[in-house]
Amino acid sequence: MNISIHASFLPHNDADAALAFYRDTLGFEVRKDVAFGGMRWITVGPVNQPATSIVLHPPAASPGITDEERRTIAEMMAKGTYAIITLATPDLDGVFARLQAGGAEIVQEPIEQPYGVRDCAVRDPAGNLIRINELR
């Protein structure tokens, strides 16, 4: 069996802020920027990994979501408890410095975790938690 991860989805509540964070601060390339019905879906990914993407999407765009579910999603995004993704880099300190310089909300500076990973954590403009592991 040969299966790869093609795309993950993270919600945004401000497409321009999300684009600035993922493109300008993290250095991802923009692969698609699609507007429909007053909403935007932006697909980004690492320049050297064209087969792996993150789709930044409006959180309440899915059909079948109730108003109560929309409120719950918005509340969880505001608290930073709705979505998470883990990225990896061989240069954790360099990426962390770039995130700090770009004004990212720092959750955790780079530390050695007791479970054998050195990582840091930030939040994107929508409150999504982004953990970044150091590749060794």
Side-chain angles (χ1 to χ4, degrees):
M1 184 179 329
N2 183 3
I3 298 175
S4 60
I5 296 175
H6 180 65
S8 294
F9 285 68
L10 290 175
H12 72 73
N13 49 18
D14 181 331
D16 291 331
L19 182 60
F21 178 82
Y22 286 94
R23 181 192 59 203
D24 304 337
T25 304
L26 281 179
F28 285 0
E29 68 181 4
V30 178
R31 298 184 178 144
K32 292 182 183 175
D33 190 341
V34 178
F36 178 77
M39 296 180 278
R40 270 171 81 185
W41 287 256
I42 303 168
T43 303
V44 297
V47 173
N48 60 347
Q49 297 175 37
T52 303
S53 298
I54 298 172
V55 180
L56 305 165
H57 66 95
S62 300
I65 292 181
T66 67
D67 289 342
E68 182 178 341
E69 291 168 330
R70 275 189 193 89
R71 280 192 299 275
T72 299
I73 290 169
E75 289 170 4
M76 291 180 73
M77 286 177 67
K79 291 173 31 179
T81 58
Y82 185 66
I84 182 172
I85 192 166
T86 300
L87 307 174
T89 178
D91 181 19
L92 182 63
D93 293 317
V95 170
F96 183 75
R98 187 174 171 155
L99 288 163
Q100 271 189 312
E105 179 186 343
I106 305 301
V107 176
Q108 172 210 299
E109 294 189 5
I111 62 169
E112 190 72 40
Q113 299 288 357
Y115 43 87
V117 173
R118 184 169 184 264
D119 70 355
C120 69
V122 300
R123 292 199 190 283
D124 75 6
N128 299 308
L129 182 64
I130 301 171
R131 297 203 73 85
I132 303 173
N133 291 350
E134 183 174 59
L135 292 174
R136 298 178 182 179

